[in-house]
Amino acid sequence: METNEKKNDIEALKKELLSNAKNTFAVMSDEQLEAAQVYAEDYKKFLDGGKTERECVKEAVELLEKNGFTPYSFGKSVKSGEKYYYNNRSKSLVAFIVGSEGIENGVYFSAAHIDSPRVDLKQHPLYEDTGIAYLKTHYYGGIKKYQWTTIPLSLHGVVTKKNGETIDIVIGEDDKDPVLYISDLLPHLAGEQMKKTLAEGITGEQLNLIVGSRPYDKDTPNTVKLAVMKLLNEKYGIIEDDFLSAELCAVPAVRSRDVGLDRSMIASYGHDDRVCAYPSLTALVSQNAPKHTVMAILADKEEIGSEGNSGMQSAVYFDIIADLAKTLGVSDAVVRANSKCLSSDVNAAFDPNFPSPMEKNNCCYVNSGVVITKFTGARGKSGSNDASAEFCGYVRQVLDGAGVVWQTGELGKVDAGGGGTVAKFIASKNVDVIDLGVPVLSMHAPYEVVSKNDVYMTHLGIKAFFEA
C-alpha cells in the first residue's frame, strides 16, 4: 500500500514540477484534428498561388478585401473597428484593424516574411553555348546549390518595358507549360566532382537555366538564343534589353502535396516563411472587434538580411504606426513602448536522419505544436533578439490560456551554426518581441515539410495573441 501511495505521490509531483512535452495528436480533439486538415487545404492553395513575394501580396490582398479591408494611405483619419491594408510596392504588406481601446496601449502585431530562397536571373541572363540557350542566374538567400539541379523549375516575376509598362510572367506552372532545368554531371563522369565537398560540387556560376535548343533558322548557326528571344517577344512583347528592368526568378515547378500515408504533413516550396505569413493573415481576419489595434506585417528580403525598402529594416512599417499615432493624437514613442510583437518565423525541426547538429533537450519537434524561440543568432547569440523573461512569461500565459499546444526550441547546437529573423529589427524600435512559428524539416530546400497540426496551432497561437 505504501509503495503504491509513494508511486502516486511521485507521479503527482512529476506532473506538478516537471516539463511534459505534448504531442498534438495526443491532446487535440477529433474536431480540432479535422479543423487542422481543412485549414491545411486553404494554406496549400495560398502556397501554390504565391511562389514569390509579389504573388503572396496579391493573394493576401484578395483575402483581406474579401474580409472587408480597404487600402490605407498616410494621413488617413481612422476609427475603432476599421480595417485597412497598405501595399508596399507590391512586395510587402501591412494589414491592421483599429482597436476599441486607445492606441497608446500599444499595437499587437505579428511580423512574418514572404520571400524564400530561390534562383534570380542576372541583368544580362540570356546566352547560347554549343547549341543550347541558357539564362544566367544569381541565387537568392541561403541554399544548398546542388539541390537546385535536375528538378523542374518555373519562371516567375515582372518585366518593366522601355515604355514603362510592367507585365507579369509565369512560365512552368500550368501542366501544359514547358519547364526550365539546371543540369548536373552524370555519375559515370563525376569522379572529380564527387571528391569535392557538397558546397563545392556545384558553383553559383553553374546554376544556368536551360531554356531552348532549337535554332531560329536551321541553316544559320548560333540562332537558338534568337529563337528563344523571338518566343518571348511574341508572347510578352519584350526585347533582350528589357531584362535590365526585370525581376525574374526560378522556383520549383511543383505543387504543395500531402506527405505520409496518413496525410499528416505538407511538402511545398516556400514554407519558410509563408507557413507563418498565412496564419498571421488568417488570425487577423478572424478578428471582429479587437480590443487592441492588431496588425499583420508580411515583409520582404528577410533571406538576405531584411534590407531595402521592402525588408523589415525599412522605415515604412513603423512609419505606419507613427502615422496612426499622430492621427489619433498619441505619442509614437508611447505606442511603440507599449506594443507587443510575435516575430512569426520558422525553426528547424529535429530530423532523426540528421540528429548530430541538434541538442535534443532544446530543439523543436514535428507535431509538438507551435515553437517559441527565445533567441536566434549564432554562437554566443550574435545577431539575436533575446526576449526578456517577462515577455516570455506573458506569451506562455496567452498560449496556455487559449489551449494552444506549444514548445520551445533553439536553432541547433550552440556551435553548429545559427540564423536570424526579423525580431532584432523590431526590438530596436523599443518593442517587446519573441519568435513564434512552425517547425520545418529540410528548411531552405526546394521542397520543405511541415506538420498540419503545427500550422493550425500557429494560427491559433497568433489568434490568441491578438485577442489577449
Side-chain angles (χ1 to χ4, degrees):
M1 179 69 72
E2 289 182 0
T3 301
N4 288 337
E5 288 181 357
K6 186 175 182 180
K7 285 182 178 179
N8 290 338
D9 288 344
I10 290 173
E11 290 304 314
L13 198 59
K14 283 182 178 179
K15 188 175 181 179
E16 179 184 355
L17 299 181
L18 300 183
S19 296
N20 293 294
K22 297 177 181 178
N23 184 286
T24 52
F25 283 107
V27 296
M28 289 173 68
S29 67
D30 290 342
E31 291 77 13
Q32 286 179 315
L33 290 171
E34 178 58 28
Q37 290 285 337
V38 173
Y39 186 85
E41 292 306 307
D42 289 333
Y43 170 53
K44 287 192 293 184
K45 292 176 185 176
F46 179 80
L47 284 169
D48 293 340
K51 289 191 172 182
T52 67
E53 67 280 1
R54 288 178 179 269
E55 292 169 356
C56 282
V57 167
K58 288 182 181 179
E59 291 278 310
V61 167
E62 182 179 339
L63 176 63
L64 291 166
E65 290 184 341
K66 284 181 180 178
N67 286 274
F69 287 74
T70 58
Y72 176 78
S73 57
F74 282 96
K76 188 178 184 69
S77 177
V78 300
K79 60 184 179 181
S80 173
E82 292 182 334
K83 304 176 181 181
Y84 296 101
Y85 69 86
Y86 183 85
N87 185 341
N88 179 32
R89 299 171 172 85
S90 298
K91 299 180 74 172
S92 68
L93 188 74
V94 179
F96 61 92
I97 306 174
V98 182
S100 59
E101 69 175 21
I103 198 172
E104 65 270 15
N105 293 317
V107 175
Y108 285 47
F109 61 104
S110 174
H113 68 90
I114 49 177
D115 61 315
S116 295
R118 60 180 188 250
V119 181
D120 286 347
L121 265 59
K122 290 187 176 184
Q123 284 68 55
H124 293 281
L126 185 58
Y127 74 101
E128 179 178 345
D129 191 342
T130 58
I132 300 178
Y134 293 91
L135 292 171
K136 295 291 295 183
T137 70
H138 191 135
Y139 63 89
Y140 173 97
I143 67 171
K144 291 180 175 179
K145 293 184 280 292
Y146 69 87
Q147 292 181 330
W148 288 75
T149 64
T150 70
I151 62 173
L153 298 168
S154 54
L155 189 68
H156 291 241
V158 298
V159 177
T160 298
K161 298 194 288 186
K162 187 176 182 180
N163 63 6
E165 178 190 5
T166 298
I167 56 174
D168 294 321
I169 291 181
V170 178
I171 302 172
E173 294 297 339
D174 190 283
D175 289 339
K176 297 179 181 179
D177 282 353
V179 296
L180 285 66
Y181 184 85
I182 299 172
S183 62
D184 193 6
L185 196 58
L186 68 163
H188 311 68
L189 301 177
E192 290 301 315
Q193 181 195 45
M194 293 172 72
K195 292 177 184 178
K196 298 178 180 180
T197 66
L198 288 175
E200 298 168 335
I202 297 292
T203 68
E205 293 298 344
Q206 288 176 313
L207 296 177
N208 300 313
L209 298 160
I210 294 176
V211 291
S213 65
R214 182 173 181 170
Y216 178 76
D217 182 87
K218 64 181 180 180
D219 297 321
T220 306
N222 303 318
T223 57
V224 178
K225 172 182 173 179
L226 177 62
V228 169
M229 200 64 245
K230 183 75 162 52
L231 289 170
L232 291 172
N233 180 261
E234 289 173 350
K235 185 167 184 178
Y236 298 107
I238 62 175
I239 61 175
E240 186 175 6
D241 282 348
D242 291 329
F243 283 120
L244 294 169
S245 51
E247 291 180 6
L248 293 167
C249 64
V251 299
V254 289
R255 294 185 177 88
S256 55
R257 300 286 296 273
D258 286 350
V259 172
L261 301 182
D262 56 6
R263 297 184 178 273
S264 60
M265 296 177 283
I266 306 169
S268 179
Y269 166 68
H271 281 313
D272 179 11
D273 183 39
R274 292 159 199 157
V275 76
C276 297
Y278 184 71
S280 296
L281 279 174
T282 57
L284 182 70
V285 300
S286 73
Q287 306 301 300
N288 291 318
K291 177 175 65 174
H292 314 291
T293 294
V294 292
M295 177 180 289
I297 296 175
L298 308 186
D300 183 24
K301 291 189 167 56
E302 191 275 343
E303 299 297 356
I304 58 170
S306 297
E307 310 289 350
N309 55 17
S310 57
M312 197 65 222
Q313 292 195 72
S314 170
V316 65
Y317 307 106
F318 285 95
D319 281 350
I320 291 172
I321 291 176
D323 195 55
L324 290 172
K326 180 179 179 181
T327 301
L328 297 170
V330 179
S331 163
D332 167 37
V334 170
V335 175
R336 286 186 284 107
N338 291 325
S339 292
K340 293 178 172 60
C341 176
L342 298 178
S343 170
S344 298
D345 210 337
V346 299
N347 202 330
F350 178 80
D351 189 337
N353 266 342
F354 305 97
S356 61
M358 297 294 188
E359 195 264 285
K360 283 190 173 182
N361 287 332
N362 289 285
C363 60
C364 57
Y365 295 84
V366 168
N367 285 325
S368 290
V370 62
V371 57
I372 296 174
T373 306
K374 186 179 186 294
F375 53 85
T376 54
R379 298 173 300 280
K381 302 184 181 180
S382 175
S384 171
N385 163 66
D386 195 348
S388 69
E390 293 85 354
F391 193 54
C392 290
Y394 173 81
V395 174
R396 284 179 60 193
Q397 291 174 3
V398 169
L399 298 181
D400 285 342
V404 175
V405 183
W406 61 276
Q407 58 183 315
T408 61
E410 295 183 23
L411 191 62
K413 290 180 178 177
V414 175
D415 291 328
T421 67
V422 300
K424 66 178 183 179
F425 306 119
I426 296 165
S428 71
K429 303 299 183 182
N430 193 29
V431 175
D432 280 322
V433 57
I434 194 169
D435 283 290
L436 177 147
V438 177
V440 177
L441 290 170
S442 304
M443 190 191 298
H444 279 216
Y447 217 41
E448 304 166 313
V449 172
V450 298
S451 154
K452 292 180 179 180
N453 289 353
D454 294 340
V455 179
Y456 186 59
M457 282 298 155
T458 302
H459 162 76
L460 294 181
I462 300 172
K463 182 174 181 289
F465 175 75
F466 285 156
E467 295 170 354

